Amino acid sequence: MKSIKALLQCMLNSLRDLMPIIFVIGFFQIFVLQESLPNVFSILFGLLLVVLGLTFFIFGLEMGLFPIGESMAQAFARKGSVFWLVLFSFCLGFGTTIAEPALTAVSAEAAEVAAEGGMIEMTEEAMQDYADGLRVSVALSVGLAIVLGVIRILKGWPIHRLIISGYIGVVILTWFAPESIIGVAYDSGGVTTSTITVPLVTALGVGLASSIKGRNPMLDGFGLIAFASLLPMMFVMVYGMVVT
């Protein structure tokens, strides 16, 4: 019964979170465009699916991904092996990023545009190679970013210095990278922090900071996502310099 009540409460919260979007669309459709909604029943059914999907997604995060991420981080901290912790962090960042649907979509679109612009051959194989290379570059960068974030937690380094240094590197690379790859690089920093990566990486940081004496989960546990957004920009611009 507790699980059912929690699921229903999560569903109500999802509906509440979607209400501003519903009101905005309804207002502009009715009062600005002054047109009735087309296919009302289809829209309502689609809205129901969105609410259900969002509900199960959030409920699944709270039941599965967050606990397992925190428990594994704490287990590695108790084990005391920095090597296995770093290796796990890299594999987690790489694996979650390579599976991100948003990254797959952006990579495929970038490959198609690059082919149309004459940067690569207009063949299925060339576009697939370009998209795969872009995905692997981003995944590698996120893996290294999570490793950097984990080392920061272990060493207690101030996050603002690392972030500032990283953005200075992004600005410098922007001067040398091909113009055609800059927009893709900046977008790559956003698509990496999506539905799969964020929950597990956040749980890893919080769990690790909670397990280390002298670390504050609120101060030291967060910030891994910032690294996961920053390094892909740099890696994709370097990738653009190599392949174009």
Side-chain angles (χ1 to χ4, degrees), residues 87-98:
L87 181 61
F88 169 72
S89 302
F90 176 82
C91 293
L92 180 69
F94 183 89
T96 55
T97 303
I98 206 73

Side-chain angles (χ1 to χ4, degrees), residues 5-172:
K5 288 181 179 180
L7 181 61
L8 292 176
Q9 184 62 45
C10 186
M11 188 177 298
L12 291 176
N13 292 338
S14 299
L15 181 60
R16 181 198 60 195
D17 294 339
L18 287 172
M19 288 308 294
I21 301 175
I22 296 172
F23 283 133
V24 168
I25 294 175
F27 174 81
F28 281 92
Q29 183 73 27
I30 296 173
F31 295 102
V32 178
L33 298 178
Q34 296 183 351
E35 296 179 0
S36 59
L37 289 172
N39 303 320
V40 176
F41 291 106
S42 297
I43 293 175
L44 292 177
F45 182 69
L47 180 62
L48 175 63
L49 294 179
V50 171
V51 172
L52 291 176
L54 187 59
T55 299
F56 287 119
F57 175 69
I58 295 175
F59 199 67
L61 290 182
E62 295 176 352
M63 287 188 63
L65 293 187
F66 278 125
I68 195 173
E70 291 186 13
S71 64
M72 291 190 71
Q74 292 169 358
F76 276 113
R78 289 194 301 269
K79 189 176 180 65
S81 175
V82 176
F83 170 78
W84 288 112
L85 176 60
V86 168
L87 181 61
F88 169 72
S89 302
F90 176 82
C91 293
L92 180 69
F94 183 89
T96 55
T97 303
I98 206 73
E100 281 290 355
L103 177 60
T104 302
V106 169
S107 299
E109 188 67 22
E112 184 176 343
V113 173
E116 292 175 354
M119 295 171 54
I120 59 176
E121 296 180 6
M122 182 65 79
T123 63
E124 189 68 27
E125 183 179 358
M127 288 190 291
Q128 187 63 49
D129 289 343
Y130 184 89
D132 290 343
L134 189 60
R135 289 179 63 198
V136 171
S137 297
V138 174
L140 285 172
S141 68
V142 174
L144 293 176
I146 304 306
V147 169
L148 177 61
V150 166
I151 294 175
R152 181 193 73 84
I153 295 174
L154 295 176
K155 297 293 186 180
W157 294 338
I159 189 174
H160 63 278
R161 295 182 181 177
L162 297 174
I163 295 296
I164 292 172
S165 300
Y167 275 107
I168 291 175
V170 170
V171 172
I172 293 174

Side-chain angles (χ1 to χ4, degrees), residues 196-221:
I196 300 177
T197 307
V198 170
L200 283 170
V201 170
T202 302
L204 172 67
V206 173
L208 184 60
S210 302
S211 305
I212 300 177
K213 186 177 180 180
R215 297 291 179 267
N216 187 330
M218 194 65 191
L219 298 178
D220 302 304

